[in-house]
Amino acid sequence: MAIESEVVVVGGGLAGGFAALAAAREGADVRLLSYKQSTLAQASGLVDVLGYTPDSDRPAADPFEAIPSLAEEHPYRTVGVDGVREAMAVFDEVADRYRGAHTDRNALLPTHGGTIKPTARYPAGAAAGVASDERDALLVGFEALVDFDAPHAAAHLEAAGVPFDVSGATIAFPGGLAADAKVTRYAKLLDEDAPVETGTGATRRARSALASAVQPHLDGAERVGFPAVLGDDDPAAVRESLETQLGVPVFEVPMGPPSLPGLRLEDDLYAALDAAGVSMETGNPVVDYEPDGERGSEGRIASVSIDRNGASIPFAADQFVLATGGLVGKGIGSDRERVEEPVFDCHVPHATDRYEWFDTDAFGDHDFARFGLPTDDDLRPLDARGGAEFENLRAAGSVLGGYDFAAEKSGSGVSIATGHAAGAAAAEAVR
Amino acid sequence: MASTPHIVVLGGGSTGAGVTRDLAMRGFDVTLVEQGNLTHGTTGRMHGLLHSGGRYAVSDQSSARECIEENRVLRDIASHCVEETGGLFVKRPEDDEAYFQEKLEGCEACGIPAEVLSGAEARAMEPHLAEDIDKAIWVPDGAVDPFRLVVANAASAVEHGARVETHSEVTDLLVEDGDVVGVEVEHASGPGLRVHGTEGGREEIRADHVVNATGAWAGQIGDMAGVDIEVRPSKGVMTIMNVRQVDTVINRCRPKGDADIVVPHETTAILGTTDEEVDDPEDYPEERWEVDMMIDTLSELIPALEGARTIRSFWGVRPLYEPPDVGSTDPTDITRDFFLLDHDDRDDLSGMTSIVGGKFTTYRMMAEGISDHVCDRFGVDAACRTADVPLPGSEDFSVLRDYMDEFGLQSPIGRRSVERLGSRADEVLDTDGPNPVVCNCEAVTHAEVQDAIEGSGSDLNAVRIRTRATMGNCQGGFCAHRLAGELQDSYDEPTVREAWDELLQERWKGQRHALWGQQLSQAMLNYALHATTQNRDRDPADAPGSVDFAAFDAGPADAVDHGDTDRAGDTGVATDGGRDGD
């Protein structure tokens, strides 16, 4: 006897989360099955909608305006500009520590390597760092935190032609953290504002010790950027006390994994799912499904099953959403011969010769970046002949094919928009 | 003699570096010229097997004797470059019993220690060996790090007064009246350590003698002086696994064939290889079937390879040579002996000697031979000492110290750093400041990277081969930008960016041959980290024209409309009704 829900969402990242949220808000009884931590910990925490159109090396100022020019198989074309706007409105409501909704225009945010990238939404903690803001900036790095070299990032930003002066300083982070301390250790010290020993042997609170260490480098800078380690539980308070003591706005520069802004976004998303009444089952992979009727002639899915310590536990539902991610999240798998979708074995178009999956240039036009499921207008995965794989299965996020989120800077936007659309459609189908 | 003879050595592989060291130790004034990094050619593209000689014990016993002799020398003088893994020649049921016996007898005849193990004994030593392996012969094969070894030879040469020029391509040989009097080189950048992005320069380096140790490129050098050197380049593929399935070198015990060896290396294992003649040492096809064959064929010895993760593949070209009258059609038949070509005797062209053929394990012996020859030419009476004097890093090498406390490093990191650095560990790791790990996969610290930058300049690929940074599972996905940051203190931003780009491209080149399964996932993650998170694919600093910053969001009103000081506290707070803004 399977556990019954109206909608089962497989996958707990942005796409799965927004699918579950949309379905629950439409009144459906929703269960979300998620395996490991989502790839949000690996993302910068910036929420891109569309930074570049395929043919341009110039960042797109308005992502919504650019959507109609995308190829027909692009998931944005399926959900449409209105669908994207509707989903982003839900995002703005859920993630109230994000900024950028006040304008359709993209913002250009500095990255930890010193490039700038276009993005549609950014954490409030990064807001004072936007590159179209002309105030002079100081970037501060910590000598044991190799992910962010502030002088390098500053020099790189100047090479990108930013309209302000920017310099970088490397300081010792107060508190004697080990050379290879995790970013969460920095965040925790600041969250707790723990007493730390300074260079002179005196004991001070971590935030004030940090501000004092930065002070001599200010030199007229009108804002100060730090690597994104300024607190985990209460980053606003950490930032506020640094701002008060330094007398200038403070911002975080998004970094690579593990990304605190990404983890904070995940927290917000899960809080919203809780509030919407979504049931969550985490920690075990979905490994199989049962068709409604004979296997091989399946029109509908009856249930999916998770593997819990070798036991197979089924979850039945009326509608299913597949949001297991792409190659990174393992929603798309491969071996030497083929590319596959491992849960339902949905059709994944790909060249038979794996040497056609990639380009010879590291940043070339890679087929693998577009691996994923093709869908119909209702986001239902299509088989090789162009028919729906299952009548009651929709797909969302990186498991979808036909777009290169890395080149376009569109990963979060596609996940949110297609997740929202798939969840809403699933709830509607239940009614 | 009036003055010290000046010798120019062409080629920064094992032979060139070995000759440079040897001649410098014998008192010559030596300049080494290499078109790329040290190890740029064949040396940097081999499987790192330190031959026991077992491989040649049937087909070429004089080579086998040389190998075991040099194997012992290198374990002695280059201890921090060698891992004494031991090796097995394993026999499958379908492999010829008579050949197994011949191999065993050959080893004995050549003075190679050899011991027969039953299949069960071999599996007790290497549990991943196939169940149906009949038996095996144990020999003292080893693994050697060619990068570390060549860098140590070059460092020793420099200590003895040599000049080492990398990224300096020979554009011409200077020939006057049938005598080679020097070379013309084009420096990719200013003389000395490579600096990207500055104007390169042409230099005439006059010399009393030129040693052509350019391996597969020897024919091209010969062409510049109108002499014919028929090197026959033969390519071979090597596929790198992300873990060591075996800790012993595994050879297949059969006469010859492709895909018959697995060499454990640091955290990886290297599968090899093929042997196929090519026309051009720099331009040959790198093909899917070669990679597939490594995995499929070697899985017969180690079944776990079938489903294992490969991280990249690379190809090398052997600089095979055979005297003009032999005429082998199959490159596997061509001898692995080396040949010293005295162009005076051979072509009436004085002032140059070429060295061709040979193999990595006997590089020092070859260098000794050439150096003896050069000494002969100049009437210099100086004994070769390279077999006795340890290479830098190997003078007092012991891994038994407690590096955790000594250098404030976590134990495995300290251990690996010290294994790489050998006796240079104190010099490099004893730093005042913090010494965080820059490359997590290979446990390479800031101090080690800075040491490599000091030795090799702004080229991150040179830093890579000296430290192993970016050579692990993630292939630079997580640390390429960190390495770029490490250059920042010494070099300007465009130089750093160019080195960073070069590193990304170089790391991609080999990964392309491992793009399925987990490594394809890794490649997508790396692509996302570099392109999405860092926007390095469309880096505005590289893009033509400037970005119209005014067309983009200048920040939310609460972050721009307030006065400079009081706005500070408002950026994230009190803008929302519900939870605080962040």
Side-chain angles (χ1 to χ4, degrees), chain A residues 369-392:
Chain A
R370 288 185 297 272
F371 281 167
L373 313 180
T375 71
D376 65 11
D377 289 345
D378 198 19
L379 290 169
R380 286 183 302 187
L382 295 174
D383 62 23
R385 293 185 309 279
E389 292 265 12
F390 300 96
E391 195 257 315
N392 59 342

Side-chain angles (χ1 to χ4, degrees), chain A residues 73-429:
Chain A
E73 64 270 19
H74 197 292
Y76 275 151
R77 297 292 304 277
T78 309
V79 296
V81 177
D82 290 343
V84 179
R85 285 187 181 280
E86 191 183 308
M88 289 308 294
V90 177
F91 172 83
D92 292 329
E93 185 196 321
V94 166
D96 62 0
R97 60 172 125 200
Y98 272 74
R99 299 290 176 268
H102 62 280
T103 172
D104 270 359
R105 286 177 296 161
N106 273 324
L108 298 169
L109 268 290
T111 74
H112 63 316
T115 46
I116 45 173
K117 67 164 272 191
T119 193
R121 299 289 186 273
Y122 40 94
V130 297
S132 300
D133 177 339
E134 298 191 355
R135 288 174 296 177
D136 290 347
L138 167 70
L139 299 181
V140 175
F142 305 130
E143 53 186 25
L145 193 72
V146 288
D147 254 323
F148 183 62
D149 185 298
H152 177 218
H156 194 170
L157 283 172
E158 296 215 310
V162 293
F164 52 89
D165 287 339
V166 52
S167 60
T170 304
I171 64 169
F173 189 83
L177 289 175
D180 294 308
K182 293 183 165 41
V183 293
T184 45
R185 293 273 299 132
Y186 291 85
K188 189 157 190 269
L189 257 181
L190 292 169
D191 268 340
E192 292 173 348
D193 203 11
V196 295
E197 198 176 310
T198 64
T200 59
T203 300
R204 294 182 70 174
R205 295 282 179 176
R207 296 174 191 173
S208 115
L210 177 57
S212 297
V214 172
Q215 199 81 50
H217 300 281
L218 263 184
D219 194 26
E222 299 164 282
R223 47 184 172 152
V224 177
F226 291 91
V229 301
L230 303 183
D232 187 5
D233 295 337
D234 196 359
V238 172
R239 208 170 62 251
E240 187 186 358
S241 59
L242 290 174
E243 288 179 335
T244 304
Q245 294 180 64
L246 287 169
V248 293
V250 159
F251 60 94
E252 288 186 309
V253 177
M255 301 215 292
S259 158
L260 285 172
L263 292 168
R264 293 173 198 147
L265 174 57
E266 188 169 51
D267 288 347
D268 289 352
L269 178 58
Y270 276 71
L273 290 169
D274 251 349
V278 172
S279 314
M280 283 178 271
E281 177 80 28
T282 60
N284 300 291
V286 170
V287 291
D288 203 2
Y289 71 97
E290 274 303 315
D292 192 359
E294 290 289 298
R295 215 173 243 269
S297 63
E298 52 236 359
R300 288 177 65 85
I301 296 160
S303 66
V304 294
S305 49
I306 62 169
D307 174 86
R308 187 190 286 153
N309 302 326
S312 177
I313 299 160
F315 290 85
D318 187 61
Q319 299 291 322
F320 295 84
V321 177
L322 179 68
T324 41
L327 286 167
V328 178
K330 313 283 164 68
I332 300 293
S334 62
D335 58 24
R336 280 195 277 157
E337 310 301 329
R338 70 187 283 261
V339 184
E340 52 153 26
E341 182 279 299
V343 177
F344 299 104
D345 199 19
C346 289
H347 170 60
V348 183
H350 63 277
T352 49
D353 182 348
R354 67 170 190 266
Y355 275 65
E356 289 176 26
W357 297 354
F358 58 83
D359 189 86
T360 52
D361 186 274
F363 293 127
D365 185 17
H366 299 304
D367 262 17
F368 69 74
R370 288 185 297 272
F371 281 167
L373 313 180
T375 71
D376 65 11
D377 289 345
D378 198 19
L379 290 169
R380 286 183 302 187
L382 295 174
D383 62 23
R385 293 185 309 279
E389 292 265 12
F390 300 96
E391 195 257 315
N392 59 342
L393 177 70
R394 290 174 185 78
S398 300
V399 77
L400 297 174
Y403 72 116
D404 177 345
F405 75 80
E408 294 171 3
K409 330 301 166 191
S410 67
S412 303
V414 169
S415 289
I416 292 166
T418 56
H420 178 79
E428 193 173 323

